[in-house]
Amino acid sequence: MGTIQSSVGLITGIPIQDTVEQLMGISARPRDLLSSRTAALQQEQVAITELTALAVGLDLASAAFGRETLYETTSVASSNSEALSVTQTADSVNLQNQQVRVVQLAQTNSFGSRDLGSSTESLGYSGQLKIETGGFIDSSAALEDLNGGRGVERGQIRITDRSGNSAMIDLSGATTIDDVLASINESTDIDVRASTSGDKIVLTDKTGKTLSNLSVSEVGGGSTASDLGLRGINTASDSASGRDIYSLSAATSLSSLRDGRGVGFGGEDDIAITLRDGTELSIDFGDFSREATNASGTTAAADPNARLTIETVAAGGDYDGLEVLFVNDVGVAAGSETVELLEGTYGKQLVFHIDEGNTTAANIADALAGNEELSALFTATAGGDGSAAVSTADFAVVDGGAAIDPQSNPTIEDLLRVLNEADPKLQASLSASGDAIELTDLSEGTGTLTIADAEGSTAASDLGLVFEGEADSTTGIALQSGLQSVSLSTLAGGAGLGTLGTISITAHDGSTADVDLSAANSVADVITAINESGLDIEADYNDQGTGIAIRDLTGGTTSNLKVSSLDETAAKLGLEIDTTDTYANGNNLRAQYVSRNTALSELNQGNGVGTGSFTIQDSTGQASIVSLGALESQTVGALIDQINSLSIGVEASLNADGNGIQIVDTSDGEGTLKITDRNGRTSAASLGIAGTAESRVIDGKVTSAIVGSQGISVNVNASDTVATIAAKIQDAGQYASASAAGGRLEILSKRGGTDGRLAVSTTGFDIGLRQTASAQDAVIEVGESGTATLFHSSDNVFSDAISGLSLTAKKVTDSAVDVDVTKNNSAVVSSVTNFVSAYNRLVDRMDALTAFDEATQSVGLLFGSGEVLRMQSQLGNLFSGRINAAGDIKSLGEIGVRLSDSGKMTFDTSKLTAKLETDPDSVKEFFTTETTGVAARIKETVDKLAGVGNSVLLNKNNSLQQRIETNNDRIASYNVRLESEEARLYKQYYAMEEAISKLQTNQSFIGNIAPITM
């Protein structure tokens, strides 16, 4: 049985527990003393850790003024923040004040209907309301693209009309031809109308006077009138045309050709050419890259036997641009020609010394071959038999050796380069008009020159170069459509209108005219022809910019305004008109604006379609995933090719309206073609192809297809109200928002600026929709007038106009706003202030930890600590002593930092501020000089005191930790012994109780024994 134990002896009454605890307390005194010592060590360790953290903080604070970029910190201000606000987006900005003029503010395209009464009553209309994001035919050439890419100097011109009145036309803010025409036409000082005809600006005097010539002159010595092709106009005629100012240039992007449709290159070869001598060429433009090759150049001597081709021996671009020259040297006779290589600031020249009239091409080849040094670099090959004489007029440039990287945005220069590198007998150049590509066969053969598209490519057709004939050259089509127009081939969704015929026009006064349009190539040609018909009518682009409008100016009432044709010409042009109105708005001509070359980033109002993925499931249930991010080329054509490569029954192509792509189901399954976006992305929706297929008529057949577009179409029923039509537009979720305001339908583009331009039209009903605000980019002019650069923004915010600044245009200004960029010395002052505060916190803590209170005879945790004394000494010496080898400033006192009697720092900010204003470089040098500057010295000192290496505080902390761990081990050993001793004492006391209990029991037994009576 177990023994019941009590804290008090049941037999003896001894307080066992109290007695044992008192005995243990005596035994535990050595352990408790050691524990107290350990606790004190731990407190000291905490104090050392505090000082370490404060010292590291001091180092970090000093690192701020040790960074050189701190001294480049700037601040900016606008002289007119109500017109232009400025925000700094980088720590430092180039210290150059800028002048910025707000030319115009951004506008968001909006439309409104006439008052339709209540917003909630049925309108009784049926039909469709369409919102398109493209298809505009009133394009306007950018001024920077004119004159072969040289652009137009933005300045002023003076125009004098035939009444003798003059106007100063300010074009400093103009960016497009539309801007130029608007500035002239809106002038109230003259009565002159500006328009365009092809690549020229046309001025028409409307005064009806003959008091003066119609003239144009420069203002202030500028060249604006000349750049616009108007300089020199001074005529007694009522109309004057400027010169041709719009042509292709080397820098013209191929993607901009053909009204932005670009050129259709194939996957492999693009153009197949057979020269007149039978040479067959297969030209693959590929990515327009080129491996390093031997550079060469051929002189253009009239006699083929006098031509010379100079070629580098080694591949590469070391001698690209080398000029080949010939100089007549009286000391040279035919057969003894010499050659030398010259290099200087002018470049490199290979100069042949010849005997003019006697030296032949063969002599030149021999001379170069006989020069040991130069023949190791170049070879010369004579043309023909080399028997004809060379001339000092002969010249060549060696080029084409350097490797060329793949071109993401190839240009005309790249196109011509690839063509010219195909074969020396093929020459590609811009045509004399500057609008087309010209190919010339130099083979001198007598056969047929043939140029055709290679399989899978439309490059030759798109360039207008398809040809077969005996001529040795051919010129392609005009690749740009004029200053304000698009080609007729762009219309009808890109199918083009073909050759037009004649339209008949009858004006309200009964006058008639037949207009022959067979020579028209662009919409501008059509408009010009109508306006030159002799009738008192005016043709122009319609309000939407998607078709042609005609206005009757006769004031007559004899006849309806009519336009018709014996063939389909009027219908093709959307001009089948028979109306009593004076204004007739032609139909949408469906200009193509989505082509294979369209970048995916240009879709969705310039917002792009993202790089998400979507699933296509055909009608048999087979599905595949299309990932836009994986496309090698981020174009519509690449996407179409990717879809068509899938192993499911679908076929992708451009739709017939030229505004998107269509997916046709070819699997003939029982289900329905479906396209769904994946992982919450919206790429398919942005392409307009998310959803389920419908039965559509495509290529004359009823088929199941999803026809996407960059627009929306809303079906309107007789029961619809203004509010429900607005709700349908809202539910479409793309391109525009709509509201019903007081019985009017209001439509607002979802994107500001020109990228947000919309074309809104109705079919089957008319609610009087009119544009209430045009799409317009904000424009600012940065720099001095005359040399300023223009920047555009869709939302009035300019983040790239001035590096490191964000500008927000708020109000148009006539004069420039000054954007002042100044040094931000406060950042340096602030960094020193933070450092002084960090140092004083360290001093305060050291003082507290080493304090001695005489009244209470108490001391701080680190009183008498050698480590703290070393810190105080080293830091005090550093900050109070001279600092050499860090520039002209020799002490902290010179910039306002001093140690007070208490050991703390004081800082006179005015001294540092003054020094920064008078000698900023010295301040920078004082703080930032490597190894000897203030920041470097502080880091060195703090590293010795509190660094991660063999530092004072770290060593002290490690020492304390070692002692604490040793003490803890001894305490643990004490505890084991004390536990054993306690158990032994209890055992002894309880054993004693048991023994006494037994004695008492025995004594009781003895006491109960009765005496034996005898």
Side-chain angles (χ1 to χ4, degrees), residues 693-718:
E694 298 176 326
S695 294
R696 305 287 293 264
V697 176
I698 297 177
D699 295 333
K701 297 186 297 183
V702 176
T703 186
S704 177
I706 294 176
V707 181
S709 77
Q710 290 296 292
I712 58 175
S713 181
V714 173
N715 291 320
V716 176
N717 304 313

Side-chain angles (χ1 to χ4, degrees), residues 881-892 894-895 915 919-937:
R882 287 178 61 82
I883 298 177
N884 296 314
D888 295 336
I889 301 175
K890 301 300 181 185
S891 70
L892 286 167
E894 292 183 50
I895 52 103
K915 200 70 175 176
D919 194 1
D921 291 340
S922 290
V923 176
K924 178 180 178 180
E925 187 177 8
F926 178 66
F927 281 120
T928 65
T929 299
E930 190 174 356
T931 71
T932 58
V934 172
R937 290 171 185 261

Side-chain angles (χ1 to χ4, degrees), residues 259 261 477-478 480-482 485-491 496-500 517-527:
D259 304 322
R261 292 177 293 160
I477 61 172
Q480 296 180 136
S481 302
S485 189
V486 298
S487 168
L488 297 180
S489 66
T490 300
L491 307 182
L497 302 187
T499 301
L500 299 178
L517 299 176
S518 60
N521 292 310
S522 68
V523 176
D525 292 341
V526 173
I527 290 174

Side-chain angles (χ1 to χ4, degrees), residues 302-323:
D303 188 336
N305 296 311
R307 294 174 189 161
L308 279 159
T309 297
I310 307 298
E311 183 174 343
T312 60
V313 172
D318 289 346
Y319 291 99
D320 279 358
L322 171 77
E323 295 178 339

Side-chain angles (χ1 to χ4, degrees), residues 602-938:
E602 295 175 5
L603 301 180
N604 193 24
Q605 295 182 302
N607 292 310
V609 297
T611 56
S613 59
F614 52 86
T615 300
I616 303 179
Q617 179 179 303
D618 66 21
S619 59
T620 67
Q622 295 294 311
S624 286
I625 295 172
V626 176
S627 175
L628 299 189
L631 294 179
E632 184 175 345
S633 174
Q634 291 290 309
T635 63
V636 170
L639 173 60
I640 290 173
D641 293 341
Q642 175 66 24
I643 294 173
N644 289 334
S645 70
L646 302 176
S647 56
I648 59 175
V650 297
E651 181 179 355
S653 62
L654 295 172
N655 68 27
D657 286 330
N659 63 4
I661 65 173
Q662 61 188 21
I663 316 294
V664 175
D665 185 271
T666 60
S667 63
D668 198 25
E670 297 296 325
T672 305
L673 168 67
K674 297 178 182 178
I675 299 178
T676 54
D677 278 302
R678 302 178 68 247
N679 303 321
R681 306 295 287 274
T682 60
S683 293
S686 296
L687 287 163
I689 58 174
T692 304
E694 298 176 326
S695 294
R696 305 287 293 264
V697 176
I698 297 177
D699 295 333
K701 297 186 297 183
V702 176
T703 186
S704 177
I706 294 176
V707 181
S709 77
Q710 290 296 292
I712 58 175
S713 181
V714 173
N715 291 320
V716 176
N717 304 313
S719 60
D720 274 323
T721 66
V722 175
T724 59
I725 294 174
K728 287 180 178 181
I729 295 172
Q730 287 288 99
D731 291 342
Q734 283 185 292
Y735 312 128
S737 59
S739 62
R744 286 184 170 85
L745 177 65
E746 295 184 353
I747 299 173
L748 181 69
S749 176
K750 285 193 172 184
R751 183 174 175 90
T754 55
D755 282 341
R757 186 182 182 187
L758 300 175
V760 182
S761 60
T762 56
T763 303
F765 63 96
D766 182 8
I767 55 176
L769 278 171
R770 294 291 182 269
Q771 181 173 268
T772 53
S774 61
Q776 177 175 287
D777 282 342
V779 179
I780 61 172
E781 182 182 69
V782 179
E784 296 182 0
S785 181
T787 60
T789 302
L790 294 181
F791 294 89
H792 295 248
S793 167
S794 63
D795 59 2
N796 294 319
V797 177
F798 299 83
S799 58
D800 58 353
I802 302 176
S803 178
L805 299 182
S806 176
L807 311 178
T808 301
K810 299 179 178 179
K811 186 168 63 175
V812 174
T813 58
D814 293 328
S815 57
V817 176
D818 292 325
V819 176
D820 298 323
V821 182
T822 56
K823 280 278 186 136
N824 184 15
N825 291 334
S826 62
V828 180
V829 174
S830 177
S831 70
V832 177
T833 299
N834 292 337
F835 169 76
V836 169
S837 297
Y839 180 76
N840 288 337
R841 285 194 296 272
L842 175 60
V843 170
D844 285 341
R845 193 56 185 150
M846 286 192 295
D847 289 346
L849 291 172
T850 59
F852 169 67
D853 189 334
E854 188 174 359
T856 62
Q857 295 294 298
S858 61
V859 297
L861 284 172
L862 300 180
F863 177 74
S865 167
E867 290 78 16
V868 177
L869 289 175
R870 286 182 64 181
M871 288 184 68
Q872 291 171 329
S873 173
Q874 291 186 27
L875 291 174
N877 291 338
L878 173 62
F879 297 133
S880 62
R882 287 178 61 82
I883 298 177
N884 296 314
D888 295 336
I889 301 175
K890 301 300 181 185
S891 70
L892 286 167
E894 292 183 50
I895 52 103
V897 177
R898 296 184 180 277
L899 291 181
S900 66
D901 293 340
S902 66
K904 297 176 70 174
M905 279 185 178
T906 62
F907 180 30
D908 183 353
T909 58
S910 63
K911 281 193 173 184
L912 177 56
T913 300
K915 200 70 175 176
L916 284 167
E917 292 175 353
T918 59
D919 194 1
D921 291 340
S922 290
V923 176
K924 178 180 178 180
E925 187 177 8
F926 178 66
F927 281 120
T928 65
T929 299
E930 190 174 356
T931 71
T932 58
V934 172
R937 290 171 185 261
I938 292 172

